[in-house]
Amino acid sequence: MAAAVLPDLTTELGPLTLQSPLILASSPWGWGAEEAAELASSGIGALTAKSVGPAPRIGHSEPTIYDWGEGLINAVGLANPGAEAAVEGLLALKAALKRQGVSLIVSIFADTVDRYHEVAETIAQVEPEMVEVNISCPNVEAEFGAPFATECPAAAAATAAARSALACPLSVKLAPNVPNLVQIAEAVVGAGADMLTVSNTMPGMVIDVEARKPVLSNITGGLSGEALRPVAVRMVYELHRAFGGEVPIIGTGGVLRGRDAIEMVMAGATAVGMATVALRHGPAGVRRVLTELDEWMSDHGVETLAEIRGVVG
Ligand SMILES: Cc1cc2nc3c(=O)[nH]c(=O)nc-3n(C[C@H](O)[C@H](O)[C@H](O)COP(=O)(O)O)c2cc1C
């Protein structure tokens, strides 16, 4: 075994310098500055707020989240107050995070290309450190049609529309259930994305056999947690290879322990996103990932994650 070292977890994510490679992925937190401050104290580098769209949405009716043991299935349905109404809360959130050295990533979605531009313009008032363009939400297809992330022209158009309203770094969040992942990634990078977030949840369905009905009111939902990890690792690996490591990737999906974060980085991720672990265990679960990551690096003589990034070839 290599000699123990003191790992340096500072992470260069495109033009951003993060105090840690761990990022809270977009999910139902992010509105209350107090709650966010508690999560921020768990050692993250950035927090991604819940996706905001052009208009208020109540989302789907309960139950919207179900833990089936090997992951979560959710169909929240993009519940949000609308971009305009979200600005004030996001400004407060940004200030609370800043006090702890944590960057704010604002996630946006829309149902048309023009509305991606409008939402981005509204969100620009917040001056977040980064904007994540969610083109891949799987739970609103009945209303919105197929996600923008499933076709190159649509993915590029949504990206370009957001890019033209924003000066800050921009990541685009891709979908796992596409046969042409690399082409879609090339399209969004060509349209102005600085980096990629992979992955959003995977469409799935869980049935309660005693009740003889699906566990979610929406019937289908998005899988996250354990079940998603090998899918997300494969996506990170393919994209890291396709871009020769030149496009930073926020590897997201099933990171629940320190080893999972190491796996993401070995596949090629620059930073590591997490939602399920925080939903299940709160700040303590996130802190454990960081502690275990740090211990693994120390035990293996790895001083910076750059030493193992994309190491699997
Ligand atoms: C309850 C819930 C709500 C989510 N809401 C959003 C969202 O609003 N926008 C988004 O881009 N991703 C959303 N996601 C997806 C997560 O950001 C993440 O991509 C996914 O859960 C995989 O990471 P994980 O396995 O660490 O949870 C949500 C996930 C969950 C579990």
Side-chain angles (χ1 to χ4, degrees), residues 25-26 28 50-51 65 74 134 173 199 224-225 228 252-254 274-276:
S26 185
K50 173 86 187 148
S51 298
I65 306 178
N74 93 83
N134 177 7
K173 190 160 183 182
S199 168
S224 63
L228 186 63
T252 308
M274 301 166 303
T276 295

Side-chain angles (χ1 to χ4, degrees), residues 2-10 291 293-305 307:
V5 295
L6 203 58
D8 177 4
L9 288 171
T10 314
T291 306
L293 173 68
D294 194 76
E295 279 170 8
W296 190 96
M297 291 172 72
S298 177
D299 290 349
H300 292 75
V302 172
E303 212 170 333
T304 69
L305 290 176
E307 293 168 38

Side-chain angles (χ1 to χ4, degrees), residues 61-74:
S61 55
E62 298 287 338
T64 56
I65 306 178
Y66 180 82
D67 195 335
W68 52 288
E70 286 158 84
L72 306 181
I73 183 162
N74 93 83

Side-chain angles (χ1 to χ4, degrees), residues 128-144:
E129 276 83 5
M130 173 145 76
V131 165
E132 187 170 273
V133 187
N134 177 7
I135 60 169
S136 49
C137 187
N139 302 320
V140 287
E141 196 167 336
E143 285 167 84
F144 287 14

Side-chain angles (χ1 to χ4, degrees), residues 14-35:
L16 301 182
T17 301
L18 305 182
Q19 64 188 10
S20 147
L22 301 186
I23 296 179
L24 277 172
S26 185
S27 60
W29 56 72
W31 301 120
E34 214 169 284
E35 186 193 4

Side-chain angles (χ1 to χ4, degrees), residues 264-295:
M264 274 298 174
V265 175
M266 285 187 172
T270 299
V272 176
M274 301 166 303
T276 295
V277 71
L279 287 166
R280 277 189 184 148
H281 306 295
V286 177
R287 167 68 61 190
R288 185 173 70 177
V289 174
L290 186 72
T291 306
E292 290 177 352
L293 173 68
D294 194 76
E295 279 170 8

